[in-house]
Amino acid sequence: MLPQVGDEVVVSCEPACAEVVRVDARYITVKWPWGVIDDSSSFRWDGTNALPYGDAHPEWVPYRIEPAASELRVGDMCTVSIPPTRLHVGHHEEYNPPRNLGWSPAPTAGIHVLPPEKADDEEAGCMLYLGGAEPVRLEPVED
């Protein structure tokens, strides 16, 4: 069951190793450790994901890179994860059939999450895909 808009959840994702393929002043791009390229898809995902880093960056994602992105260079190995983080649900979507995004397995749902202190900022947050490649875990917050 998907959380409802306005719910708070604890989101986590177990660590996985990834290779750094690009680093610039705003993003670190890694070979995404979850899922495989779906060659039958009309979407041309290249198997990578660019994650923003740095305190001044306007984008936000719950993913964490270790060691710190500022210490990494192309070809280095790093760990990508989502440490258990309490987040606000901005909206959710269910996909039937699973959503074709260019990777396999395709996700069956998505939730838009953001830090609770930014719950009123419609531009903040990140879409996480569920039921597909990434082992994202959700736990309800019951206060």
Side-chain angles (χ1 to χ4, degrees):
M1 180 165 156
L2 287 176
Q4 298 300 306
V5 172
D7 286 353
E8 287 196 1
V9 294
V10 174
V11 176
S12 62
C13 185
E14 290 295 319
C17 291
E19 181 182 353
V20 176
V21 295
R22 184 171 180 220
V23 180
D24 63 29
R26 296 177 49 145
Y27 295 93
I28 182 164
T29 304
V30 298
K31 287 184 182 175
W32 205 234
W34 301 289
V36 296
I37 295 171
D38 181 355
D39 291 325
S40 69
S41 174
S42 59
F43 295 98
R44 295 290 141 215
W45 179 57
D46 66 359
T48 67
N49 199 353
L51 300 172
Y53 75 92
D55 293 335
H57 202 290
E59 291 180 63
W60 173 87
V61 295
Y63 293 98
R64 297 297 168 253
I65 299 279
E66 292 180 356
S70 60
E71 298 174 22
L72 294 167
R73 303 292 173 256
V74 171
D76 288 349
M77 296 302 291
C78 63
T79 301
V80 181
S81 68
I82 301 176
T85 307
R86 187 174 179 153
L87 298 172
H88 179 87
V89 176
H91 68 270
H92 63 86
E93 306 170 350
E94 293 187 63
Y95 312 128
N96 187 11
R99 187 166 182 187
N100 178 359
L101 294 170
W103 64 78
S104 180
T108 57
I111 63 166
H112 186 264
V113 294
L114 54 158
E117 66 273 11
K118 295 189 176 199
D120 295 329
D121 184 353
E122 292 184 22
E123 299 296 318
C126 172
M127 184 65 112
L128 297 176
Y129 294 102
L130 310 173
E134 296 170 19
V136 173
R137 181 178 171 159
L138 300 177
E139 297 176 35
V141 171
E142 297 178 23
D143 286 333

